[in-house]
Amino acid sequence: MEAAVALTGDARGRAASQPGDGGENTPPERKVYMDYNATTPLEPEVIQVMTEAMREAWGNPSSPYPTAVTFVPVSKVSGQVEVEDILAAVRPATCLVTVMLANNETGVIMPIAEISQRIKALNRKRAASGLPVVLVHTDAAQALGKRRVDVEALGVDFLTIVGHKFYGPRIGALYVRGLGELTPLYPMLFGGGQERNFRPGTENTPMIAGLGKAAELVTKNCEAYEAHMRDVRDYLEERLLAEFDKQRIHLNSRFPGTERLPNTCNFSIRGPQLQGRVLLAQCRTLLASVGAACHSDQVDRPSPVLLSCGIPFDVARNALRLSVGRSTTRAEVDLVVQDLKQAVALLEGPPGARGAS
């Protein structure tokens, strides 16, 4: 999950008047949400099918080994994990390789299909030596809903998705290739016999129904979603480069020749007073985040993802991650860019004051 500025239920459509702003005569400030990598709203059709499930399908649908975690760095040239580095990290006892399909901060797409092919070839050699098969897992949480995700093309054994990343409820699902036949899966929790004894606990029918509907909408409309988000994201980057000195803007998620998600823009505005969190605090319209929520306790530290990609420390600490969604418009991009300009002006003061700081 990723960190986002806390929202009230209707924060996207309105904002309270600021102290001293003239009270009732001042129009409310508009908020523009650009943190769709953190979470997405439910589509009306998803809410409808979940409501129907809560009304109609309320019944019970199911009436100490040592480990070694090897981490592989990404390339500072491409932002991707290198396939050869993955293979070099495989040990005789290795049983699983897991790589995210798309990075949630940079949007970089990882070479999962190639990794799967190479691991399968390696498994044939391992079998001859009596070594265990290496399975491949990918976390597709950020990718699904923004680009086509085909488990057959990826060739993975396991794939996870998370509903609230593609306008569904906060429930996940695990794809398992040839469950019980080709790919083993063992329970970590024990109790009831639900979900074919893989996990105890009564299934949450409305959430499952909502996840299915959200996935159905993605299947039908993925190309349209992707094209819209790419258009708006590209326009955002064009406006940032046009409104700020090109020497000051650094687009952290652009790597030559590397594919990335169509909705994600990670950038920094250079300046000693423009750390990401500080800049966001001065924004009156923009609702976004500096990175992943799972690292939100590291308040003053730059993103380890950006640092691992070769982004300099002073640039990484100023990073903002803006992620557009299905309903984001170019007009909202214009509002956000102007909001960023006023925030920078507030933090830096008059042009003559910059050199004195």
Side-chain angles (χ1 to χ4, degrees):
M1 293 178 61
E2 288 76 34
V5 177
L7 302 178
T8 58
D10 58 354
R12 190 172 184 271
R14 66 171 180 80
S17 298
Q18 301 295 321
D21 64 359
E24 297 179 356
N25 295 327
T26 303
E29 296 175 358
R30 183 178 179 183
K31 298 292 186 183
V32 176
Y33 184 75
M34 281 200 183
D35 204 17
Y36 287 90
N37 278 10
T39 195
T40 57
L42 294 174
E43 285 279 14
E45 294 162 279
V46 173
I47 296 174
Q48 180 180 350
V49 76
M50 290 174 63
T51 301
E52 292 173 356
M54 286 187 282
R55 182 173 57 247
E56 304 293 341
W58 49 265
N60 186 328
S62 294
S63 271
Y65 295 99
T67 59
V69 179
T70 301
F71 292 92
V72 178
V74 297
S75 165
K76 290 179 171 56
V77 176
S78 66
Q80 296 177 311
V81 64
E82 298 285 355
V83 179
E84 296 301 331
D85 291 342
I86 292 284
L87 293 172
V90 173
R91 303 288 182 261
T94 299
C95 60
L96 180 70
V97 168
T98 178
V99 182
M100 61 186 356
L101 180 52
N103 185 268
N104 54 312
E105 293 189 43
T106 64
V108 167
I109 308 298
M110 302 297 168
I112 302 301
E114 185 180 357
I115 291 172
S116 296
Q117 292 170 3
R118 298 290 297 276
I119 291 295
K120 284 181 172 59
L122 178 64
N123 279 335
R124 289 191 285 270
K125 297 179 181 178
R126 289 170 64 92
S129 302
L131 295 175
V133 169
V134 177
L135 301 173
V136 180
H137 164 263
T138 191
D139 178 356
Q142 285 297 339
L144 192 67
K146 300 161 191 170
R147 69 191 306 271
R148 279 290 172 193
V149 176
D150 185 339
V151 292
E152 293 301 326
L154 293 173
V156 295
D157 301 293
F158 304 102
L159 181 144
T160 51
I161 63 172
V162 180
H164 74 101
K165 301 294 187 180
F166 58 98
Y167 292 72
R170 295 192 176 186
I171 185 174
L174 173 67
Y175 165 85
V176 184
R177 182 181 298 279
L179 179 59
E181 299 176 2
L182 301 177
T183 306
L185 185 68
Y186 305 101
M188 295 180 63
L189 302 174
F190 299 89
Q194 295 89 347
E195 298 193 47
R196 290 187 278 175
N197 292 316
F198 286 115
R199 190 175 73 94
T202 303
E203 293 92 332
N204 191 331
T205 306
M207 290 291 180
I208 294 171
L211 182 69
K213 188 62 179 183
E216 178 185 328
L217 291 172
V218 166
T219 300
K220 289 165 40 176
N221 304 309
C222 187
E223 283 76 14
Y225 294 155
E226 181 176 357
H228 172 75
M229 288 185 285
R230 188 182 305 280
D231 176 75
V232 176
R233 191 275 311 278
D234 289 350
Y235 179 68
L236 169 62
E237 294 184 344
E238 291 170 8
R239 295 286 289 116
L240 288 171
L241 291 170
E243 291 294 334
F244 293 94
D245 186 337
K246 290 186 178 181
Q247 300 303 315
R248 300 193 70 195
I249 286 284
H250 189 275
L251 298 176
N252 303 321
S253 52
R254 279 189 181 178
F255 296 90
T258 298
E259 184 184 2
R260 56 179 173 144
L261 292 177
N263 79 319
T264 304
C265 171
N266 194 307
F267 70 98
S268 299
I269 305 176
R270 299 176 190 265
Q273 297 139 317
L274 304 181
Q275 289 90 347
R277 294 179 190 277
V278 176
L279 186 59
L280 277 181
Q282 294 298 324
C283 288
R284 300 165 64 182
T285 299
L286 175 62
L287 302 173
S289 63
V290 298
C294 39
H295 301 298
S296 60
D297 58 328
Q298 302 173 5
V299 177
D300 298 320
R301 302 178 192 173
S303 162
V305 170
L306 296 183
L307 293 177
S308 68
C309 290
I311 305 299
F313 184 94
D314 61 332
V315 176
R317 69 178 181 177
N318 287 15
L320 295 178
R321 183 197 63 180
L322 305 191
S323 45
V324 305
R326 298 174 188 173
S327 62
T328 309
T329 65
R330 286 188 170 209
E332 289 178 324
V333 167
D334 292 334
L335 288 174
V336 163
V337 173
Q338 290 304 311
D339 193 31
L340 286 167
K341 287 182 65 177
Q342 69 83 25
V344 169
L346 283 173
L347 289 171
E348 294 188 329
R354 296 179 189 174
S357 62

